[in-house]
């Protein structure tokens, strides 16, 4: 234990839900702990700020809990510092009794097909970051003058992308959507969105609430060809399972769409199943998405999409790939490239068969990109249990905490953003939003955020 301040010194890297839930679990423990939370951006809350869709304001409520945690006297927020670049892993290790990585899964998986990088082909991450005002994606350009869009993937991120593309802008205008995105969406000429699953309707990963929203959008009609809903015997077995309630409800919703007739002037969402992209085609930009028809093979609940020899092309000028995320390697730390995460056993970081003492991981970087915000709570409790039991088992040792890093931080980080600074940025954003009838108007450039503090 650190003799000078009498607390165990813990660093948390990343300020999204898993980081804050780890802080909460640490603060609830009986051990004296001081937490320094490092964040690359000047703003906290990770995907709750820059991933949750702007028209889902209720899902942002955990921010109130996170702010309560952040106000604890044993907690410090240190924004605008990049661990691995501004602060080395070795320096962190020497300064803290425990380091918990909670950096999420910031990269998209790639499909690996010809034409994937053609102009007009984007990852869902880019689009989500763009409409949410994330500084990394603020300057991306999406050609919304196209008639037809294809979204690859049938998870909740695909549902978010589809909804933001099709929801009337006056409904988005009262959300915290970034101004540049609202302006571009107001000029959108998109008429038709294909949302494409490589497996069948019984395997679509939408949660029912998110799927239902796509069927209830003003001025948009969702359709499915009835033939797409024919199920194999194995799919019927999957669907009949009492554990498969979401798929059963989704199937009911899908069936209700088969009679829908596209109306003149209405936008159209078209659900497609059992089709995988085989290529994106076009001379200078995406003009067509080539799909290969799949059949499902394997046992119930483990069926995979197996390509047939049947192909079809969809003419479309914009493609969003929404097939899941993966973590980004942290310089100086091991990385499981195939799974896109920090290798670990119950949150203890491993290298080969060896546990790396003092290093822990939680959230999407620990288990992969699954679950809702609340899923990270149990995940972080598990990791913090490992931290606490290791701290209790360890021979007491001194760890100086933040003060050992201050010379490095002063040299490399011109403006550290503390919690009070974040509250100033927050207040300014809320005020900018109030004028427009929005919950907030985010600053979308780091320079704008820092200008509030100068
Ligand atoms: P996801 O739920 O895992 O969905 C990924 C989709 O991509 C699946 O349909 C998957 O099909 C498909 N896919 C994967 N690889 C593919 C490939 N090579 N070719 C074609 N399709 C492929 O991931 P997500 O949508 O990114 O969401 C991540 C997590 O965040 C999920 O847990 C989600 O529920 C959560 N989330 C929640 C909300 C909310 O609560 N409102 C909003 C957004 C995200 P297979 O099933 O065949 O693998």
């Amino acid at each position: 234990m650190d003799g000078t301040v009498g607390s165990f010194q813990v660093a948390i890297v990343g300020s999204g839900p898993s980081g804050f839930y780890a802080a909460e679990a640490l603060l609830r423990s009986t051990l004296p702990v001081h937490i320094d939370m490092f964040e690359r951006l000047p703003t906290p809350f990770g995907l709750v700020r820059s991933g949750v869709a702007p028209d889902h304001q209720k899902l942002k409520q955990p921010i109130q809990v996170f702010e309560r945690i952040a106000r604890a006297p044993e907690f410090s927020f240190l924004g605008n510092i990049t661990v691995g670049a501004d602060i080395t892993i070795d320096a962190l290790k020497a300064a803290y009794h425990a380091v918990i990585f909670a950096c999420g899964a910031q990269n998209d998986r790639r499909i690996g097909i010809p034409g994937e990088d053609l102009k007009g082909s984007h990852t869902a991450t880019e689009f989500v970051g763009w409409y949410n005002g994330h500084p990394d994606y603020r300057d991306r350009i999406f050609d919304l003058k196209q008639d037809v869009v294809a979204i690859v993937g049938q998870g909740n991120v695909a549902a978010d992308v589809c909804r933001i593309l099709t929801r009337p802008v006056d409904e988005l205008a009262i959300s915290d959507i970034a101004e540049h995105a609202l302006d571009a969406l107001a000029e959108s000429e998109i008429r038709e969105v294909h949302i494409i699953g490589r497996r069948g309707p019984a395997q679509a990963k939408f949660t029912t609430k998110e799927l239902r929203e796509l069927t209830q959008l003003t001025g948009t009609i969702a359709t499915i060809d009835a033939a797409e809903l024919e199920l194999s015997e194995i799919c019927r077995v999957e669907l009949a399972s009492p554990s498969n309630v979401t798929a059963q409800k989704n199937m009911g919703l899908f069936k209700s769409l088969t009679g829908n007739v596209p109306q003149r002037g209405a936008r159209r969402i078209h659900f497609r199943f059992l089709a995988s992209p085989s290529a994106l085609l076009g001379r200078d930009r995406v003009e067509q998405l080539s799909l290969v028809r799949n059949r499902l093979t394997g046992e119930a609940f483990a069926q995979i999409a197996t390509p047939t020899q049947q192909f079809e092309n969809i003419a479309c000028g914009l493609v969003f790939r929404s097939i899941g995320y993966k973590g980004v390697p942290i310089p100086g730390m091991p990385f499981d490239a195939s799974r896109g995460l920090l290798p670990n056993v119950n949150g203890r970081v491993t290298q080969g068969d060896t546990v790396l003492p003092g290093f822990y991981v939680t959230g999407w970087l620990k288990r992969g990109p699954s679950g809702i915000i609340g899923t990270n709570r149990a995940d972080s409790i598990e990791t913090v249990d490992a931290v606490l039991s290791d701290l209790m088992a360890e021979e007491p040792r001194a760890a100086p905490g933040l003060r050992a890093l201050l010379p490095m931080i002063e040299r490399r980080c011109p403006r550290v953003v503390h919690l009070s600074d974040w509250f100033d940025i927050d207040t300014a954003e809320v005020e900018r939003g109030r004028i427009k009838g929005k919950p907030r108007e985010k600053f979308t450039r780091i320079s704008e955020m820092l200008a509030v503090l100068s």
Side-chain angles (χ1 to χ4, degrees):
M1 195 192 294
D2 182 344
T4 51
V5 289
S7 296
F8 287 106
Q9 303 291 321
V10 180
I12 298 178
V13 184
S15 68
S18 62
F20 270 103
Y21 287 129
E24 181 186 49
L26 284 164
L27 292 171
R28 285 194 174 163
S29 81
T30 50
L31 288 187
V33 179
H34 179 86
I35 302 158
D36 290 323
M37 179 179 274
F38 295 92
E39 166 59 53
R40 178 172 71 89
L41 294 175
T43 53
F45 311 136
L47 275 189
V48 183
R49 177 176 164 97
S50 61
V52 170
D55 58 340
H56 280 175
Q57 288 296 311
K58 270 195 183 161
L59 293 183
K60 297 188 185 231
Q61 280 173 356
I63 284 180
Q64 291 161 22
V65 176
F66 301 160
E67 284 186 347
R68 217 170 36 242
I69 294 164
R71 288 178 200 273
E74 304 87 355
F75 179 99
S76 304
F77 175 74
L78 297 137
N80 210 19
I81 298 179
T82 303
V83 166
D86 298 326
I87 299 179
T88 61
I89 297 299
D90 284 347
L92 261 194
K93 184 172 166 51
Y96 291 91
H97 289 102
V99 179
I100 304 176
F101 291 98
C103 315
Q106 297 166 40
N107 261 0
D108 286 80
R109 292 205 197 108
R110 285 185 68 77
I111 308 179
I113 51 169
E116 189 161 359
D117 296 317
L118 268 178
K119 198 170 170 199
S121 164
H122 305 277
T123 61
T125 304
E126 291 171 85
F127 189 62
V128 171
W130 174 76
Y131 65 62
N132 273 325
H134 190 298
D136 289 358
Y137 303 102
R138 191 245 175 269
D139 292 320
R140 298 295 155 100
I141 292 170
F142 302 93
D143 181 3
L144 305 180
K145 298 287 180 196
Q146 299 294 328
D147 273 0
V148 184
V149 178
I151 301 174
V152 179
Q154 292 191 330
N156 282 339
V157 172
D160 284 348
V161 169
C162 185
R163 211 177 55 254
I164 297 300
L165 287 171
T166 49
R167 194 185 265 290
V169 278
D170 55 340
E171 293 179 16
L172 293 173
I174 51 167
S175 76
D176 65 352
I177 190 167
E179 190 176 32
H180 58 253
L182 191 66
D183 291 346
L185 287 162
E187 303 291 316
S188 164
E189 292 177 12
I190 291 166
R191 307 306 316 157
E192 194 170 342
V193 181
H194 295 263
I195 181 161
I196 300 160
R198 63 177 170 181
R199 297 191 291 158
Q203 291 82 28
K205 289 215 173 111
F206 308 117
T207 44
T208 306
K209 179 180 160 289
E210 276 63 28
L211 177 59
R212 186 176 294 111
E213 281 180 296
L214 294 182
T215 70
Q216 294 178 337
L217 290 162
T218 309
T220 294
I221 190 134
T223 64
I224 294 185
D225 291 343
E228 295 256 28
L229 298 183
E230 283 169 17
L231 296 180
S232 69
E233 190 50 42
I234 300 182
C235 287
R236 276 199 284 273
V237 168
E238 279 188 20
L239 210 56
S241 164
S243 65
N244 211 0
V245 179
T246 300
Q248 289 157 15
K249 288 186 184 162
N250 285 358
M251 199 65 192
L253 273 173
F254 286 143
K255 281 184 182 160
S256 73
L257 306 180
T258 54
N260 283 353
V261 181
Q263 289 152 4
R264 256 178 107 80
R267 280 187 172 142
R268 182 174 166 193
I269 297 171
H270 194 52
F271 291 93
R272 303 288 314 271
F273 302 102
L274 289 171
S276 285
S278 56
L280 293 178
L281 310 172
R283 197 192 299 251
D284 301 320
R285 56 165 301 120
V286 174
E287 291 167 20
Q288 299 199 46
L289 170 63
S290 178
L291 293 172
V292 58
R293 190 96 194 132
N294 296 326
R295 64 191 174 85
L296 293 180
T297 55
E299 292 175 9
F301 294 106
Q303 297 191 84
I304 58 166
T306 305
T308 66
Q309 288 301 315
Q310 260 180 287
F311 291 85
E312 85 169 281
N313 286 359
I314 295 180
C316 58
L318 202 53
V319 172
F320 292 101
R321 289 121 55 199
S322 181
I323 64 164
Y325 298 102
K326 60 180 186 175
V328 176
I330 299 160
M333 292 301 294
F335 191 66
D336 178 342
S338 64
R339 298 172 67 207
L341 42 78
L342 210 51
N344 71 94
V345 176
N346 300 335
R348 289 183 179 92
V349 174
T350 55
Q351 187 149 37
D353 295 334
T354 315
V355 168
L356 290 185
F359 288 119
Y360 303 84
V361 60
T362 182
W364 279 8
L365 190 59
K366 170 188 177 187
R367 68 176 193 277
S370 64
I372 56 172
I373 292 167
T375 312
N376 294 298
R377 194 156 184 266
D379 196 358
S380 290
I381 288 172
E382 181 189 64
T383 293
V384 168
D385 282 348
V387 174
L388 295 173
S389 76
D390 291 351
L391 288 178
M392 284 188 284
E394 251 180 39
E395 279 294 303
R397 70 178 168 95
L402 184 63
R403 72 188 148 84
L405 300 176
L406 287 179
M408 191 180 270
I409 291 175
E410 272 163 25
R411 252 191 342 270
R412 297 182 180 174
C413 307
R415 182 55 163 104
V416 177
V417 174
H418 298 281
L419 189 65
S420 59
D421 297 326
W422 155 245
F423 286 134
D424 287 347
I425 295 171
D426 181 44
T427 303
E429 286 188 345
V430 170
E431 178 55 21
R432 277 157 44 105
R434 194 186 57 75
I435 297 160
K436 299 177 180 174
K438 299 172 76 173
R440 74 175 59 237
E441 185 64 62
K442 288 177 193 163
F443 294 109
T444 58
R445 296 191 194 282
I446 289 176
S447 57
E448 293 173 348
M449 297 170 191
L450 299 182
V452 173
L453 310 177
S454 59

